[in-house]
Every structure is written in C-alpha cells, then in structure tokens.
Amino acid sequence: MTAPAEVATVSRERADLDLLLLIRHFELALLDLFARGELNGTTHTCLGQEYVPVALTPLLVAEDHVFSNHRGHGHYLARFRDPEGLLAEIMGREGAVCSGVGGSQHILRDRYLSTGVQGESLPVAAGAALHLRGSGALACVYIGDGTWGEGSVYEALNLASLWNLPLLVVVENNGIAQSTPIARQLAGTIRDRAHAFAIRHHEITSTHIPDIRAQIGPLIESVRTDSRPLVLEFATHRLGPHSKGDDTRPASLVRGLPDWYRDLSGADGFTEADRAARELVAGIVREVAARPLSRWSACA
C-alpha cells in the first residue's frame, strides 16, 4: 500500500509538471501565432525559466501581492492557472483579463500587477509591503538582472531595509539583458548590492523544484514573520529571444543551455503529460481565436 505522504508527493510533482508544461506550450503557441501573423505588438517569453514561478507558487498565499514584469506569462499562469483569459488578453478577444487593453505585458488582476517598464514594480511593491507589515502577507516582485541598472531598484531596497518591509525580491538572472551579457552591464554582484543595504540574499542554482522549495521555504516564511526584505537570485537561462524574434546569440549557444524540459523528458509520465499540455493549449488557441473581439469602455 502506498503511504499518504508518498501519494501527496507524487500528486504535487505531477501538478508541478503539468504547470511547467502548460507555461512552456502556451508560450510556444504565442511564438507560433506571431510567426503566422495572427498576433500584433510584441511578447517576451520565459522559456527556460518556467520553474521559477512554479517553485514559488505554493509558498505564496492569496493575501500576498505579486508584481511581475515584461516577461510575466509564467508568473501569471502560475498564480491563476488561466491560460484562456491570458490568451484572450493578448489576442484582444472576449474574456480577456483586462478587456484586451493590457496585452502581453500589462496585467492587473486581484493582487497581481505586471508592467513592461523596467524597475517600475519595485517601488510599487515596497509601498504595498509597507501596508502589509504585521499582516502575515508579503509583496513579491520579479525582476531581471538587467533591471539592476535602474535607480528605482536602489531607492526601493533602501526603504525596504530602513522600514523593515515584508518584501520578497525574486531575481531571474538569465545572464543577458535584452542582448547585453551581464558581464558587460553589471559591475560587482547582485549579492553585494543587496548586502550594501543590509538585505539578505540567497542564490538558487538548482532547477529541481522540491530542492528549491526546501531551500527557500523557511526564508520566505521569515519575510512574513520578521518583516524583513529578502533577495532571492535564481541563476537561470533564457532559451527564447528577448522578444518574439530578436535573439542575437548564436543558435549553437542557445541549444547548449540547460533546460528543465530536456532534463525531465525521460521521467515517468512525462510523454503523456507533455502530449496533454500540447493538446490543451492547441484547443485553447482554437477556442479563443474564434471569439469576438473584446470591447472596452472607460465608463464601464
């Protein structure tokens, strides 16, 4: 007989895999739609980085505020499991999260906000964290390595440290800011910059979700209980272009980057789960594309 704890572990691992694959195939579908001329504007995929929000999801609660960035589809899907609403938003169809006026980058829902303006979210997240002190909730903000070139980052970190704010800064350090390698745009380290404000820093190099949660779970809990900011830096990799088709890196270099998808492809149940995710996303694309265009009114 299988022990209840083992069943729970297997269920959690399958749920994680399903969410990872949902995000991966959702974003591959977006790139395909752009290539076919069925989407306008731009989009920024998190291919290769999907495991970051998936690992964080069960460590965040409904009362927490989440602030995302331009590369935020994975953050949104991990928070809400709503591919239909997000795709409708990006395609400007009925059922869109923000009536189609936010598009790929600018989403507002409940306690979730994303923006394409680099560095904008951190001071807003610090303000939210100020109001959350003592409540047991926190403000989680995702930024990239390139965002450390924005002055607002340091203003927010300074206040977070001075005022003991429950602020969780999640850095997805993929080593390249649009097309500029980190060695050419960031002096020193992110760790030292956090420590300059007396803010704790923890680096995660693993892509194994249970291992990540074991590392960061107690740290995130301390943000809530002690009302102290924390910087979590994920050493990750961006497998897709900066936007929908502007990758300046050699294809051979990108192919050689680590990828959780490739690592998990031999796991039990992977093929079945992968097929199910592909079919689910394909069905969502067909259904959403057939919807009427969304309508928005400033008076609504």
Side-chain angles (χ1 to χ4, degrees):
M1 178 180 292
T2 305
E6 293 177 2
V7 173
T9 299
V10 171
S11 298
R12 178 74 260 179
E13 289 178 351
R14 179 54 191 259
D16 290 339
L17 178 60
D18 288 344
L19 185 52
L20 285 168
L21 293 171
L22 171 64
I23 299 170
R24 173 62 60 99
H25 290 300
F26 182 91
E27 293 204 307
L28 290 176
L30 289 183
L31 293 178
D32 180 60
L33 287 167
F34 269 110
R36 294 181 354 221
E38 296 183 31
L39 286 182
N40 299 310
T42 190
T43 193
H44 302 77
T45 63
C46 66
L47 300 172
Q49 303 176 190
E50 300 96 333
Y51 66 92
V52 177
V54 173
L56 282 165
T57 291
L59 303 177
L60 300 176
V61 300
E63 292 74 24
D64 294 335
H65 289 243
V66 176
F67 296 86
S68 181
N69 55 15
H70 62 297
R71 203 174 300 284
H73 305 141
H75 306 155
Y76 178 87
L77 292 174
R79 182 74 168 172
F80 297 110
R81 271 72 160 190
D82 177 32
E84 295 88 354
L86 181 57
L87 183 60
E89 179 64 33
I90 296 170
M91 298 189 77
R93 302 290 177 170
E94 281 189 356
V97 184
C98 298
S99 300
V101 298
S104 174
Q105 298 183 65
H106 303 99
I107 304 291
L108 174 64
R109 176 177 175 180
D110 301 332
R111 296 175 176 85
Y112 178 96
L113 175 68
S114 66
T115 175
V117 181
Q118 293 300 304
E120 180 183 18
S121 289
L122 243 176
V124 179
L130 177 62
H131 289 277
L132 292 172
R133 278 192 309 188
S135 69
L138 57 78
C140 171
V141 55
Y142 290 93
I143 64 173
D145 51 288
T147 309
W148 289 82
E150 298 292 331
S152 58
V153 170
Y154 304 98
E155 295 171 349
L157 291 179
N158 185 54
L159 293 178
S161 184
L162 281 173
W163 295 345
N164 295 318
L165 302 183
L167 178 67
L168 175 63
V169 182
V170 179
V171 184
E172 294 170 309
N173 184 353
N174 57 34
I176 186 166
Q178 188 163 335
S179 60
T180 306
I182 191 169
R184 298 185 61 183
Q185 56 90 5
L186 191 141
T189 65
I190 292 172
R191 176 189 299 273
D192 288 343
R193 293 181 181 213
H195 286 173
F197 294 97
I199 292 178
R200 297 169 299 160
H201 171 282
H202 183 78
E203 184 177 18
I204 302 99
T205 57
S206 174
T207 62
H208 186 243
I209 289 176
D211 177 53
I212 293 171
R213 289 184 184 139
Q215 288 185 51
I216 67 177
L219 295 173
I220 292 177
E221 188 59 26
S222 73
V223 175
R224 303 181 189 280
T225 57
D226 301 339
S227 191
R228 293 174 56 207
L230 169 69
V231 172
L232 293 179
E233 179 183 354
F234 284 82
T236 188
H237 301 279
R238 192 192 81 206
L239 302 181
H242 166 69
S243 181
K244 60 182 182 292
D246 57 356
D247 205 334
T248 59
R249 300 170 295 178
S252 58
L253 184 153
V254 176
R255 285 195 299 269
L257 294 174
D259 183 8
W260 62 264
Y261 183 90
R262 185 170 57 241
D263 295 341
L264 292 178
S265 60
D268 291 343
F270 180 88
T271 301
E272 173 194 350
D274 189 50
R275 184 186 304 113
R278 290 174 186 268
E279 292 175 354
L280 173 64
V281 170
I284 290 171
V285 170
R286 289 193 298 270
E287 191 274 323
V288 171
R291 295 180 186 180
L293 293 175
S294 61
R295 296 186 178 185
W296 175 81
S297 170
C299 300

